[in-house]
Amino acid sequence: MSIRVCGTTCLKGVIEVQGSKNTVLPIIAATILTDGISRIHNCPDISDVHVMCELLEILNIKTYYKDHLLVIDTRNITYAPLPCELTCRLRSSVLLLGAMLGRWGKARIGSPGGCTIGVRPIDIHLEGFYKMNVDISVENNILSCNCYQLQGCDFNMRYPSVGATENLLLAASGAQGRTILRGAAKEPEVIELCNYLNSIGVLIDGIGTEVLVIKGSGCLKSADYINVYDRIVAGTYMLIASAIPSDIILTGIDDIHYIKNIINVCARLGLNVVRAYNTLRVQSIGDVGAGDFATGTYPEFPTDLLPVLIAVLLKSQGKSCVTETVFENRFSVVNELRKLGGRLNVIGNSVYIERSDRIIGGMVDATDLRQGAALVAAGLMASGCTIINDASYIKRGYENIVKDLNDLGAEITYI
Ligand code: UD1
């Protein structure tokens, strides 16, 4: 599947921001800890969610999805190993490890997949499990974890990994005794998972801080969850709006705190952001301010928006620099942007961007989800039309990027 997108002179209209991918996936994994029926509202209609449901079905969990409502019935749940063919299709499959350990004290699952944005080891996840008394072996891309009694522990995370924090929270929810996670991630997705775990009967203190204290329980009840908006999707549209004369209303922004860091960067780029109830009105004249930017762990600017920020800065008035501090290989967008006339230079973990007077439509390849979204942004900024190959990467996280931008007046279509 490819996307054809043409340069546009203005964007105007309303976008209903979808539910968060990275929030809902850990919560879907967490339902493994429960007995009963859970309803997850505002669940995005994206392939990662559907693959996660296929994985749950292997555990004899019934799932039903319609109109952004996901119903999960764990009343007949049974243990089973999870095959590589499915686990390798998304990153969050790794979270099933923690949830299965929390539920059964054992798990056998294939390696996780996800975007190729670096080595993406899971050593911190495994170190934490090891501290909880888990024996771990890896053979032919299959991880086997077993323990006699999953035991709470005091674990110092040497890096605030989002996935490791979520995985250890899930395991600790079913462990005996108390677990203390020091140096935990503070991302909104972790906060939402903590709140959900509290609602099913786990006791968690320190939510939103780097020290989480978890008191697990053997008996966890099912609970409903209303998913938050996707801050990365909202941020993508805000960044695009900074580079193209725009007047856009984003709806569904129920917690402004989760997106403040993105608003701050967009304001530096020249975007005017006004909040009213749960909407954001974003306006710009399309003149992008140059500057130096860096990604980081929350509340810093999210690494997931780095490729889109790089694309948008091609239109900035002067020289800009964006430094990536989270993943070691997130610059795949650079080569593709060069094909469209972008003037960019990578040195170490920074990319230096010069104003590119002419971005000209062409043929580019999406190689991961956010890089693909950045190419859509570049296509909108270019003169002429751009074909983005392998657009299925983009669909993994953006439910409806083509329709959303069409509704704003852009000429964009799947081909
Ligand atoms: C999650 C998000 C991803 C986001 C990232 C950082 C999902 C599905 N994905 O990915 O979109 O970009 O958080 O906000 O929610 N690391 C280790 N050892 C580990 C784990 C991580 O060295 O055991 C390193 C990674 O290689 C990377 C850094 O820590 O350099 C951050 O990774 P992490 O926070 O774990 O990201 P993910 O959970 O994979």
Side-chain angles (χ1 to χ4, degrees):
M1 180 200 300
S2 301
I3 287 178
R4 180 175 182 273
V5 52
C6 300
T8 189
T9 48
C10 74
L11 295 169
K12 188 170 169 52
V14 179
I15 293 182
E16 198 179 325
V17 179
Q18 70 182 67
S20 165
K21 166 176 101 65
N22 288 352
T23 303
V24 87
L25 292 169
I27 282 165
I28 296 174
T31 62
I32 289 177
L33 297 162
T34 67
D35 283 306
I37 298 175
S38 313
R39 286 170 205 81
I40 300 177
H41 301 268
N42 197 25
C43 181
D45 191 358
I46 51 174
S47 54
D48 277 16
V49 164
H50 299 302
V51 177
M52 200 69 161
C53 289
E54 279 185 61
L55 283 157
L56 294 195
E57 301 269 348
I58 294 173
L59 305 174
N60 211 27
I61 296 172
K62 295 275 165 282
T63 65
Y64 169 82
Y65 185 90
K66 196 171 180 210
D67 295 339
H68 301 116
L69 170 69
L70 174 62
V71 182
I72 300 177
D73 179 354
T74 55
R75 286 174 300 176
N76 295 315
I77 186 171
T78 46
Y79 174 82
L82 300 177
C84 260
E85 300 78 66
L86 284 178
T87 57
C88 70
R89 285 173 55 195
L90 76 165
R91 182 70 192 166
S92 295
S93 60
V94 74
L95 302 177
L96 299 170
L97 206 50
M100 290 171 78
L101 280 169
R103 172 100 203 189
W104 294 294
K106 62 178 179 178
R108 194 173 148 77
I109 82 165
S111 303
C115 293
T116 41
I117 48 180
V119 185
R120 304 192 86 175
I122 55 166
D123 51 336
I124 303 172
H125 306 231
L126 300 185
E127 275 169 32
F129 293 146
Y130 185 73
K131 268 223 139 183
M132 298 175 101
N133 258 353
V134 180
D135 288 328
I136 301 159
S137 62
V138 189
E139 208 178 322
N140 297 330
N141 284 335
I142 305 278
L143 269 159
S144 296
C145 296
N146 283 291
C147 64
Y148 172 67
Q149 171 68 63
L150 194 67
Q151 189 63 50
C153 68
D154 190 332
F155 181 57
N156 227 326
M157 300 181 64
R158 67 191 141 74
Y159 181 87
S161 153
V162 174
T165 304
E166 292 167 346
N167 229 341
L168 295 171
L169 276 164
L170 292 165
S173 297
Q176 194 172 64
R178 193 176 67 154
T179 299
I180 305 177
L181 296 180
R182 300 179 196 277
K186 297 180 286 191
E187 265 67 4
E189 294 75 19
V190 172
I191 295 176
E192 290 294 317
L193 177 61
C194 288
N195 288 336
Y196 179 74
L197 290 171
N198 270 346
S199 77
I200 63 174
V202 184
L203 293 175
I204 305 179
D205 274 341
I207 297 176
T209 74
E210 60 209 27
V211 182
L212 296 171
V213 181
I214 307 117
K215 174 84 185 61
S217 163
C219 166
L220 297 172
K221 56 185 192 307
S222 57
D224 292 354
Y225 173 71
I226 302 174
N227 191 21
V228 292
Y229 68 95
D230 195 307
R231 65 190 175 107
I232 304 301
V233 170
T236 301
Y237 293 138
M238 287 166 66
L239 286 167
I240 289 174
S242 310
I244 293 167
S246 297
D247 185 357
I248 303 173
I249 292 175
L250 301 173
T251 68
I253 312 293
D254 31 34
D255 189 333
I256 194 80
H257 295 103
Y258 288 171
I259 202 171
K260 267 193 171 157
N261 49 357
I262 301 170
I263 292 177
N264 290 343
V265 164
C266 288
R268 283 180 63 197
L269 297 177
L271 191 70
N272 186 36
V273 182
V274 178
R275 181 186 177 203
Y277 305 106
N278 69 342
T279 67
L280 288 181
R281 181 170 185 181
V282 299
Q283 294 168 297
S284 86
I285 52 169
D287 280 345
V288 179
D292 292 348
F293 303 87
T295 64
T297 56
Y298 189 80
E300 304 300 321
F301 186 73
T303 168
D304 283 351
L305 285 174
L306 169 121
V308 189
L309 176 61
I310 292 173
V312 160
L313 284 169
L314 290 175
K315 267 194 83 179
S316 67
Q317 300 305 315
K319 289 184 182 176
S320 299
C321 172
V322 183
T323 301
E324 163 67 339
T325 69
V326 180
F327 290 100
E328 73 276 14
N329 180 17
R330 203 151 204 181
F331 291 142
S332 62
V333 74
V334 168
N335 272 343
E336 301 309 300
L337 292 177
R338 281 188 186 133
K339 289 182 191 168
L340 304 180
R343 292 161 64 197
L344 315 99
N345 195 15
V346 178
I347 301 176
N349 62 341
S350 297
V351 55
Y352 295 84
I353 305 144
E354 290 192 41
R355 181 184 171 89
S356 307
D357 290 326
R358 279 181 65 75
I359 307 293
I360 302 160
M363 178 91 82
V364 287
D365 298 318
T367 53
D368 74 62
L369 164 59
R370 308 300 173 189
Q371 179 258 22
L375 296 177
V376 171
L380 291 167
M381 289 156 48
S383 54
C385 296
T386 299
I387 308 287
I388 303 164
N389 296 317
D390 295 327
S392 50
Y393 280 110
I394 306 172
K395 284 208 93 165
R396 281 194 41 224
Y398 295 83
E399 187 177 308
N400 237 328
I401 199 165
V402 165
K403 180 179 179 304
D404 286 347
L405 292 168
N406 244 313
D407 288 351
L408 300 183
E411 196 183 328
I412 176 168
T413 168
Y414 288 112
I415 53 172

